[in-house]
Amino acid sequence: MPILRFGSDAQKERYLPKLCSGELIGGNGVTEPDSGSDAFGLATSAKREGNYYILNGTKTFCTMAPAADVFMVFATVDKRKGFMGVTAFIVERNFPGFRVGRDIEKMGLRTAPMAELILEDCKVPVENRLGKEGNGAAIFEDTVEWERGCIMASLLGGMERQLEQCIKYSRERKQFGKAIGKYQSIANKIVDMKVRMETARLLLYNVASRKQAHGKAAMEAAIAKLYVSESWIKSCLDAVQIHGGYGFTTEYEVERDLRDSIGSTLYSGTSEIQRNIIARYLGL
Ligand SMILES: Cc1cc2nc3c(=O)[nH]c(=O)nc-3n(C[C@H](O)[C@H](O)[C@H](O)COP(=O)(O)OP(=O)(O)OC[C@H]3O[C@@H](n4cnc5c(N)ncnc54)[C@H](O)[C@@H]3O)c2cc1C
């Protein structure tokens, strides 16, 4: 999305077809060891020297970094300018001075590997700057709205699959001579999962339709991000409980959903940060 929305024609031509076909894998380098929620407090520096920028710094928690070919890296051309100095660059894996650091082990989402990015006098051609100097914060804010909507859509798919599986299990699993779904305490969990899923769907469709109509949906994206991620964790806990001891084993993979779900209230801005954004839009 950042390249599509802010890239030059040459950048679009060079990267977009291959990113769309899967020939190139992309990564996003915003977070640093000392700046997470405070994304624009980043310290990675970019200094112009002739036709290049020289980038120095370390990025962390970069999803897909071990496999990625091209990265969106946010750096500052002048730290004293705060968010006004933040600038976006397209960095290719083979640029001199760039390397992918150690793999980061995590509790879930293990099929999406993660690593650090290390930039040591990394030479980035001027034509790989995305937008103008100091435009990085605006680019980040714009694309994070898309990110929040699109990532949450995949959780909605997970909620649908999980609900179907829980209904099936509750019909088949019998205790005390009848299907566990006939016990109101199990049925209620499934009903709550259904209500969360349908609410999540409406919140996501609201973001999508607003983006289509007006282009902006910052508060709506924050509401959807907050609600869908927290609902996903609640539904994952319900799914484990419905499966009893089998839910705690790896057999039905509901424990895997639970491990994966925990990341959703952290990445793309934590729940606390989404609440801050919504509060700001309410004038608080
Ligand atoms: C699975 C996963 C994938 C990720 N992928 C990427 C990626 O591809 N690229 C990338 O750049 N980053 C990525 N991240 C990093 C992610 O964006 C950060 O982890 C997140 O922004 C939080 O930053 P932090 O971990 O440094 O926590 P911190 O910012 O240190 O926060 C610690 C705690 O303090 C709270 N807190 C902080 N500030 C405030 C505040 N102002 N008000 C209230 N509470 C506050 C937070 O909500 C949190 O609970 C990923 C993270 C995860 C878990």
Side-chain angles (χ1 to χ4, degrees), residues 10-266:
Q11 288 168 343
K12 288 180 190 169
E13 224 167 277
R14 182 169 169 83
Y15 298 109
L16 289 183
K18 288 184 178 170
L19 282 167
C20 291
S21 70
E23 211 174 317
L24 287 181
I25 294 177
N28 196 21
V30 184
T31 307
E32 298 183 359
D34 293 326
S35 63
S37 300
D38 182 14
F40 301 141
L42 55 82
T44 296
S45 61
K47 197 165 167 241
R48 184 153 179 178
E49 283 184 9
N51 290 332
Y52 290 90
Y53 282 90
I54 307 299
L55 268 58
N56 279 288
T58 302
K59 297 289 175 182
T60 192
F61 297 152
C62 184
T63 300
M64 293 310 293
D69 308 283
V70 58
F71 300 85
M72 189 60 57
V73 172
F74 291 83
T76 178
V77 289
D78 186 349
K79 183 123 173 82
R80 289 165 305 177
K81 289 187 181 165
F83 76 92
M84 305 273 279
V86 175
T87 307
F89 297 91
I90 305 168
V91 177
E92 295 182 21
R93 196 182 181 103
N94 60 4
F95 280 180
F98 177 85
R99 72 190 159 88
V100 173
R102 64 184 176 89
D103 278 23
I104 299 170
E105 292 295 325
K106 44 195 167 51
M107 70 186 283
L109 297 173
R110 293 187 183 178
T111 51
M114 179 187 262
E116 291 183 333
L117 310 180
I118 295 153
L119 301 117
E120 287 170 329
D121 289 333
C122 174
K123 268 180 101 173
V124 179
V126 168
E127 60 264 25
N128 275 43
R129 190 188 67 217
L130 190 75
K132 294 189 187 132
E133 274 192 13
N135 253 18
I139 293 173
F140 176 82
E141 294 287 4
D142 182 274
T143 52
V144 87
E145 270 180 48
W146 285 99
E147 182 180 308
R148 283 178 191 146
C150 294
I151 298 181
M152 293 304 112
S154 73
L155 303 193
L156 180 60
M159 283 172 147
E160 272 188 41
R161 173 193 30 83
Q162 191 181 64
L163 182 63
E164 281 167 21
Q165 184 178 325
C166 287
I167 292 172
K168 183 170 181 287
Y169 189 81
S170 304
R171 282 186 179 144
E172 288 170 359
R173 175 73 176 169
K174 290 196 171 63
Q175 288 295 289
F176 302 98
K178 57 181 179 180
I180 59 169
K182 292 291 173 199
Y183 296 112
Q184 202 172 30
S185 43
I186 296 292
N188 281 353
K189 287 194 203 327
I190 291 179
V191 169
D192 289 348
M193 289 169 78
K194 169 79 172 160
V195 173
R196 281 183 213 119
M197 185 190 80
E198 296 299 347
T199 313
R201 190 195 310 281
L202 292 176
L203 289 173
L204 274 171
Y205 284 8
N206 184 37
V207 176
S209 70
R210 278 175 176 268
K211 287 208 73 70
Q212 195 166 13
H214 318 289
K216 291 295 292 172
M219 183 175 71
E220 291 76 14
I223 292 172
K225 165 71 171 65
L226 177 65
Y227 183 83
V228 181
S229 60
E230 295 196 343
S231 296
W232 177 223
I233 294 178
K234 283 183 193 149
S235 292
C236 286
L237 281 167
D238 282 343
V240 170
Q241 197 68 21
I242 289 164
H243 283 74
Y246 297 96
F248 193 64
T249 70
T250 55
E251 189 176 345
Y252 288 89
E253 295 203 350
V254 282
E255 56 77 38
R256 176 185 170 172
D257 281 341
L258 177 59
R259 285 186 290 106
D260 287 352
S261 73
I262 302 296
S264 65
T265 56
L266 301 170

